[in-house]
Each structure stands twice: as C-alpha cells, then as structure tokens.
Amino acid sequence: MSRQIYVSVDIEADGPIPGPYSMLGLGAAAFDLGSPTPRVPISTFEAALHPLPEAGQDPDTMRWWATQPKAWAHVQKNCEHPAVAMARFVTWLDALPGKPVFVGYPVTFDFLFVYWYLRYYGHGSPFGFQGLDIKTLAMTKLNLPYKQCTKRRFPKRWFAGGVPHDHTALADAIGQGVLFVNIMQDG
C-alpha cells in the first residue's frame, strides 16, 4: 500500500456553493502521521483566487465577511486566475511523497469547492471522490452524537500545537491539520 499524506484543506468563499459563487482562498497543509514531528506540516499551499467572472456574491456571506476585515483583506491580496491556482495546487499535490487524503472541517463544504474547481478547470481529483471529516473522527473518539460533537466539547489537548483560527485559509488548514493529528494520536 502506498504512503498516505493527510492534506488538511480550508477554503474561503463568497457564497455557499461553487459556480454561482466563488472560492476566494485555498489553503492546504500536508501532514505525515509517520513523521517524527507529525504535527508539523511537511508542505503547505496557499492561493488567493479572483472570483469567477459569471458568479455573484451571497448577501449573507458578505455580511459575515464584513465582520472579518483582516481575513477579507488577506483574501484580496495577490489574487490569481482560478485556472492558474488550481494547476499550481495539482502540481503541489503531485509533488507530495505519498497519496493525498483530503481532510476537512467540515469536509463537505471544503471538498465541494475544491472538487468543483478541479473539475471545472480541467483536472481530475487527486483525492478521488472522498474526504476525511474531522468532526466525524472526533465523534467516534468522544462517543457523542454527531450534532453534539462541537469544538467546545473537544479536549483541550486536541488543540495543542495548533494555530488560532482566523479565517485565512492556510492558517485554518494548519490548525485543522494539527487538530486531526492530535485526535489520531489520542489513544
């Protein structure tokens, strides 16, 4: 079996679904559970994307963005065409030393955007059709019903070594990746 590299992915968007709305930021951090320092990413990726030309902005999402001026400013810097960003992302994934496994929190939101953008811009999905959901993993460790499994119920030790969640894609991907590794290593 080939080596698996766990790629924690976080996206920022201006709406709830891709196509009618745009992915504005993509951050990814690759973790190797077999590494001597598994909580340290072996590689990272970040891109700020121009909005899709035919897309709009969701009013509810934009009201939320108005409460996050630092994160909004971050996602507006150094934007590139989505086709360029996705090609760079695939190249980055292909250079990882193993098969990438998509990890998200929540996986359904982030995977939806990444998969759609990969396909829309002519790439296959290096992740296949699946992703690992951190909340579901935590649910199994805590033996709680899914809807009751929230971060405030997670043991503090699961956040050790992480970075603050600030709604910038790369920082959030790293924080989620450290959370994932900590959960996996918690007997």
Side-chain angles (χ1 to χ4, degrees), residues 3-70:
R3 181 175 172 196
Q4 294 183 0
I5 301 299
Y6 294 90
V7 180
S8 174
V9 177
D10 186 75
I11 70 101
E12 303 300 335
D14 61 8
I17 59 172
Y21 307 106
S22 301
M23 177 168 58
L24 304 174
L26 170 61
F31 293 85
D32 181 353
L33 292 178
S35 161
T37 55
R39 290 190 305 176
V40 176
I42 60 170
S43 185
T44 61
F45 176 89
E46 183 174 30
L49 293 75
H50 287 295
L52 299 168
E54 65 278 9
Q57 293 180 325
D58 175 63
D60 290 336
T61 305
M62 296 314 294
R63 277 190 289 279
W64 176 84
W65 272 115
T67 70
Q68 306 294 321
K70 286 183 183 177

